[in-house]
Amino acid sequence: MKKRLLIWAVLCQAGIAAFAQGTEPTVTPEYADEEGPFPYEFVNTMWVAGDIGRLMTENITYNDDNTITLQANEAGIGDDGIPIYTNNACLGNSTARAQWDDITTANYYTTIDQNWFIIVGTDLSVAKGDSYIWWFNGANAGTSVPQDYSVVLGDGRVLLAWDVSNTGLTTYLQDEINYQNGWTCFGLTPTSADGVSIISDICFYTWDDAIAKYPELANAGDTPDTTTPYEFVNTMWVPGDTGRLPEDTDTYN
């Protein structure tokens, strides 16, 4: 069967805001593709260090059970003297390609209804601000996009879920078939003392498929609304300018 070697090239991305932390790698291994394109599925070796300042290549291990063991770089030392690893479990996809104008030959694709990007791993923070997507399929808006949902699964692993359609990073998404040939890069925060996490899933799901595989996600959006609809209460309103309305001249009846 004829094989085609797909090779990385460095792409110059202009006009990116300085605080967008994910960066494209300068060197990526070659890999062979037999036919393709294929429906995307998680293969651990497809995900590499997204930023070696956050996660060194030598601190990534690809396990036989299709998981990734990683050890993030320290981001600093907390007040309690314990190292912190904020956003430093940084991975990016190794399948991104240089042939941006030939998306029909991209290796992997997703469908438009697979709009949930889900990551599952051990010892990950569930706090907003501790998990960000910076690049998605080649799109970068200078933003850090936090997860929509964080769920602790029954076995203790943490699930992080993004609704891709709400990320603002949909530049290279098509109407029906979306070829995953652009750079995707994200950063997670390990909670273990040594910065180690084991990633067991990085995949795209429909909502129904996601909750079929991870039933705990079904209740993630059911948090009761604790806000109170506005109604007029006189004491909520005070003088806006005491030079115009002195405080001792208003009366609450």
Side-chain angles (χ1 to χ4, degrees):
M1 186 177 298
K2 185 177 180 180
K3 294 187 176 182
R4 298 170 293 164
L5 288 178
L6 303 181
I7 305 172
W8 272 82
V10 178
L11 296 177
C12 177
Q13 300 288 343
I16 304 301
F19 58 84
Q21 299 298 314
T23 56
E24 291 193 77
T26 56
V27 178
T28 299
E30 297 180 357
Y31 68 97
D33 170 26
E34 293 189 350
E35 289 184 351
F38 305 104
Y40 174 88
E41 61 182 72
F42 173 59
V43 177
N44 58 359
T45 53
M46 290 169 57
W47 295 91
V48 298
D51 182 338
I52 60 173
R54 295 174 178 271
L55 174 64
M56 301 293 291
T57 299
E58 57 264 33
N59 289 336
I60 300 174
T61 300
Y62 300 102
N63 306 312
D64 291 339
D65 61 353
N66 198 33
T67 61
I68 303 168
T69 299
L70 58 82
Q71 183 174 26
N73 299 354
E74 289 186 11
I77 302 295
D79 294 337
D80 54 4
I82 297 176
I84 55 177
Y85 304 93
T86 308
N87 304 131
N88 276 6
C90 179
L91 294 172
N93 60 327
S94 65
T95 61
R97 296 185 51 205
Q99 293 90 331
W100 295 76
D101 59 340
D102 187 17
I103 62 172
T104 59
T105 60
N107 256 12
Y108 298 95
Y109 68 87
T110 61
T111 57
I112 194 66
D113 58 343
Q114 291 176 302
N115 60 302
W116 286 95
F117 183 60
I118 288 177
I119 302 170
V120 177
T122 64
D123 300 302
L124 294 174
S125 173
V126 298
K128 281 292 180 75
D130 280 353
S131 298
Y132 286 131
I133 292 177
W134 294 303
W135 292 76
F136 190 81
N137 200 28
N140 176 288
T143 55
S144 298
V145 183
Q147 74 276 19
D148 291 284
Y149 298 127
S150 303
V151 178
V152 179
L153 302 178
D155 58 8
R157 291 179 300 162
V158 170
L159 179 151
L160 304 166
W162 285 260
D163 181 354
V164 173
S165 63
N166 290 330
T167 61
L169 303 176
T170 57
T171 306
Y172 302 110
L173 298 185
Q174 313 297 308
D175 290 334
E176 294 297 335
I177 299 296
N178 298 302
Y179 295 95
Q180 299 298 320
N181 64 337
W183 181 236
T184 293
C185 184
F186 57 82
L188 317 175
T189 299
T191 56
S192 57
D194 56 2
V196 171
S197 176
I198 300 174
I199 307 300
S200 52
D201 198 8
I202 306 171
C203 204
F204 301 83
Y205 293 91
T206 66
W207 181 253
D208 288 344
D209 287 345
I211 61 176
K213 185 169 184 177
Y214 303 109
E216 297 92 335
L217 184 59
N219 298 321
D222 292 343
T223 302
D225 183 5
T226 58
T227 59
T228 302
Y230 172 82
E231 61 180 45
F232 172 65
V233 178
N234 59 356
T235 54
M236 292 172 57
W237 297 90
V238 297
D241 184 338
T242 56
R244 297 172 180 267
L245 177 64
E247 290 185 355
D248 58 358
T249 60
D250 55 342
T251 300
Y252 298 105
N253 303 313

